[in-house]
Amino acid sequence: MKKRISKLLYLLMPAVFLLGGCGTQKEDMVPIKVGITDDIVSLDVAGTKDILSETVGRCVFSTLYTFDEKLNLSPCLAENAEQVSKLEWIFKLRDDVKFHDGTPLTASDVVFSIHRAMNIEKAEQSLLVIADIEALNDKTVKVTTTDQMNNLPTLFVRTSTSVMSEKAMSNPDYDVNKPVGSGPFKVIERTERKEIRLERFDDYFGGAAKSRYLSFVVEPSEPNSTAMLLNGKLDVLYRVAANDGDYLDLNESVNLYQTDSTKTELLILNPRVAPINDIRVRQAIACAIDKHSIIDNVLSGFGKAQSSIIPAPILGFADFKEYSYNPDKARELLAQAGYPDGFDFTVLTFDSQRKKLMEYLKMDFAEVNINLNYEFLELQEYLDIVGKGTQMGSIMSWTSNPDPDSTLTQLYSKAGHPTVNQSGFTDPRVEELLEQGRMEINTEAREAIYQEANQIIAGSYYAVPLYQPAVLVAARADIAGVCVNPQGIFCYEKLYRKNQ
């Protein structure tokens, strides 16, 4: 991982308020424009699982709990939570929360939202541990689980469990593109594949956002988005392409921010399709990849090679040497599997920023006679195909919560949605371990549980971890308040222009 002495992501830029009269009305009307690489799937976050929908969704909606910039679990809409028995939890709600339409948050809204998240077509299957959820009074919610789950509040960090206004959503004229949330911003307008315009919600319980307007601008082209930042058409790049990192770091008109991430780039292998159904073929694919070359040439050094399904420093991390680069072994395994001359291998992805990665993978695979074909799809088309399980391979990234249950349950268990558990991985022992991990309190015991699960999953070669990229964010020099945690979650309400 490259180091930056003067620009660290965790060093929050001074949150200085410039009081009335220091900026003109015209300046206040200019939005802070954030460049994103693709459009969101939907503003109905209960049915989405993509990182961009989550990014925008966190500006508009709020969850019961959240993670702070150091990945500590923190109350959000919930004031506190108490486990009153093995299967019962009581959540006390804040009494100062309003939705964008002015109505106060009630326990009924929480019950409505969690029920909806559990029952929507693309539901979080891990929420099915909830046997019942009920409102005891306007500010108290009781959750009963089917099994003991000592980390239940971590389920309510996910954007899919955002609390919606029951009153607003019950209106037959409710517009999903102008949702009613309780987050720091409300939606003005969404133009698909172009822009999402937001306005500050002055009654936000966390304090009004520093900037009045915020806009997410869709620009799929990596060079274009960098050029737009440099010429002032964008104020922030949500995610900087690694090969632009050094260039932007040297440019005086912008600031580059960097930290380690909990994100893992994964090559998912689908054993439901031949010849990927042969473990020797999957092992050969893993051995053919020169990860350190990818770090140097694709990430320009802004990342770490990864071999663990669970990334560092998450509980259960382990370094698996089985994934080491060894093209001779790859060729030997392919011959044993009956493919001495290799085979055609098609991999799907949806992010144009992965083009260079795919080119290097193609060169690596060519060394062992695997002919890689890769396709860049629109995000929704990609999700539709992997959801059906017909792909040979796919590239996705996953950002882990501090609790490994979230990662393993969604990516490598029967509870994972097909668009997330893209390999269709299931294993009875892993299911047992996940259940044990949810009930175990002792940290050392949980570590052993998740390391065993990690080992089983790694040994299946259903997924090949490639690397942990650094979190790279760039902003114009006049933008202050930059704050991102290792999950890459941006606190957009803290952003402001220094001249306003």
Side-chain angles (χ1 to χ4, degrees):
M1 172 73 67
K2 289 192 176 183
K3 303 297 181 183
R4 292 290 184 275
I5 296 174
S6 60
K7 299 175 182 176
L8 296 176
L9 194 57
Y10 283 131
L11 180 61
L12 304 187
M13 298 181 73
V16 179
F17 283 94
L18 301 183
L19 300 180
C22 295
T24 67
Q25 184 177 6
K26 184 177 180 181
E27 288 172 338
D28 191 45
M29 295 293 288
V30 177
I32 291 180
K33 293 188 175 183
V34 181
I36 56 177
T37 56
D38 204 341
D39 195 9
I40 64 172
V41 171
S42 175
L43 280 166
D44 185 356
V45 291
T48 59
K49 299 179 186 299
D50 63 294
I51 188 64
L52 293 176
S53 293
E54 179 173 355
T55 297
V56 178
R58 288 188 180 275
C59 292
V60 179
F61 301 103
S62 306
T63 49
L64 291 175
Y65 273 77
T66 189
F67 290 116
D68 65 17
E69 65 271 13
K70 295 183 180 179
L71 293 186
N72 297 313
L73 184 67
S74 302
C76 188
L77 293 178
E79 198 169 71
N80 59 64
E82 180 184 2
Q83 188 173 11
V84 295
S85 72
K86 287 184 177 181
L87 301 180
E88 295 176 315
W89 285 75
I90 299 295
F91 291 81
K92 296 286 187 181
L93 304 181
R94 297 176 62 123
D95 59 9
D96 58 349
V97 180
K98 292 181 181 179
F99 288 106
H100 296 159
D101 61 1
T103 58
L105 169 73
T106 68
S108 180
D109 295 307
V110 175
V111 172
F112 166 80
S113 301
I114 302 305
H115 271 151
R116 185 170 183 270
M118 292 168 61
N119 294 312
I120 203 166
E121 182 183 356
K122 296 180 180 179
E124 290 277 8
Q125 297 299 304
S126 54
L127 292 177
L128 298 182
V129 72
I130 299 173
D132 190 30
I133 178 168
E134 58 183 311
L136 300 184
N137 56 49
D138 273 357
K139 298 298 177 183
T140 308
V141 175
K142 178 183 176 183
V143 178
T144 305
T145 58
T146 58
D147 298 299
Q148 184 175 349
M149 188 170 183
N150 294 326
N151 62 340
L152 184 69
T154 62
L155 284 186
F156 302 121
V157 172
R158 301 171 190 171
T159 315
S160 57
T161 65
S162 295
V163 177
M164 317 288 188
S165 165
E166 181 180 17
K167 176 185 175 182
M169 294 201 74
S170 298
N171 186 330
D173 296 325
Y174 181 79
D175 184 354
V176 70
N177 283 318
K178 289 190 177 179
V180 178
S182 61
F185 293 94
K186 50 190 177 181
V187 178
I188 301 173
E189 181 182 24
R190 177 192 176 194
T191 304
E192 290 191 13
R193 301 186 182 183
K194 289 187 177 180
E195 188 174 13
I196 304 163
R197 295 168 54 221
L198 308 178
E199 182 179 5
R200 178 174 62 207
F201 177 47
D202 289 331
D203 289 333
Y204 175 55
F205 64 91
K210 303 286 184 65
S211 181
R212 184 173 177 183
Y213 293 106
L214 181 69
S215 179
F216 289 92
V217 179
V218 179
E219 177 45 69
S221 168
E222 195 175 284
N224 285 355
S225 60
T226 299
M228 290 170 70
L229 179 73
L230 293 173
N231 65 25
K233 292 183 179 179
L234 291 176
D235 298 296
V236 176
L237 280 188
Y238 156 76
R239 187 176 64 180
V240 172
N243 55 299
D244 286 341
D246 283 325
Y247 174 65
L248 290 175
D249 193 42
L250 295 172
N251 194 297
E252 293 184 358
S253 68
V254 300
N255 290 319
L256 181 73
Y257 304 90
Q258 173 193 355
T259 191
D260 290 338
S261 76
T262 62
K263 178 187 288 186
T264 302
E265 191 81 356
L266 296 162
L267 170 59
I268 308 296
L269 304 176
N270 184 6
R272 294 163 291 190
V273 177
I276 310 301
N277 58 337
D278 191 318
I279 190 173
R280 294 168 296 186
V281 171
R282 301 197 297 274
Q283 290 170 331
I285 289 171
C287 292
I289 301 171
D290 187 349
K291 297 177 187 177
H292 292 287
S293 176
I294 289 173
I295 298 298
D296 292 339
N297 295 292
V298 177
L299 299 186
S300 300
F302 290 103
K304 299 175 181 177
Q306 175 67 303
S307 64
S308 175
I309 296 298
I310 300 174
I314 307 301
L315 198 71
F317 167 81
D319 190 14
F320 297 109
K321 301 300 182 184
E322 292 88 343
Y323 287 115
S324 298
Y325 175 55
N326 190 335
D328 290 336
K329 184 177 180 181
R331 284 187 284 267
E332 180 183 338
L333 286 164
L334 287 172
Q336 292 174 5
Y339 298 94
D341 299 322
F343 63 96
D344 290 334
F345 181 35
T346 300
V347 173
L348 308 181
T349 189
F350 60 88
D351 191 336
S352 61
Q353 288 194 345
R354 292 191 172 107
K355 182 171 177 56
K356 197 171 182 180
L357 167 63
M358 304 309 291
E359 290 171 349
Y360 270 84
L361 287 175
K362 187 175 181 70
M363 288 190 291
D364 282 346
F365 289 140
E367 289 293 317
V368 299
N369 297 319
I370 296 175
N371 178 36
L372 176 65
N373 300 301
Y374 52 86
E375 297 180 25
F376 291 102
L377 307 175
E378 292 288 334
L379 178 55
Q380 189 58 61
E381 183 183 5
Y382 169 86
L383 293 174
D384 289 343
I385 293 174
V386 298
K388 295 173 183 175
T390 57
Q391 78 286 356
M392 292 182 74
S394 55
I395 294 282
M396 66 173 288
S397 59
W398 183 261
T399 302
S400 294
N401 286 340
D403 194 301
D405 180 72
S406 176
T407 293
L408 298 185
T409 297
Q410 296 194 67
L411 266 69
Y412 307 107
S413 86
K414 62 184 180 183
H417 192 275
T419 59
V420 181
N421 183 359
Q422 296 178 10
S423 67
F425 180 91
T426 58
D427 182 272
R429 177 56 181 161
V430 170
E431 299 296 335
E432 291 176 6
L433 290 166
L434 292 177
E435 185 174 346
Q436 291 173 20
R438 296 183 193 112
M439 294 187 290
E440 183 58 60
I441 298 175
N442 182 273
T443 300
E444 290 184 1
R446 293 191 86 215
E447 176 81 31
I449 288 169
Y450 289 120
Q451 282 199 347
E452 182 181 345
N454 197 353
Q455 180 73 61
I456 293 169
I457 296 165
S460 74
Y461 291 85
Y462 277 32
V464 181
L466 300 175
Y467 53 78
Q468 283 180 253
V471 174
L472 292 177
V473 173
R476 298 283 302 175
D478 67 333
I479 300 296
V482 177
C483 169
V484 183
N485 74 12
Q487 291 180 290
I489 296 172
F490 216 105
C491 301
Y492 290 99
E493 65 271 22
K494 296 180 183 292
L495 293 177
Y496 65 96
R497 294 184 196 281
K498 296 177 184 178
N499 61 354
Q500 284 186 198

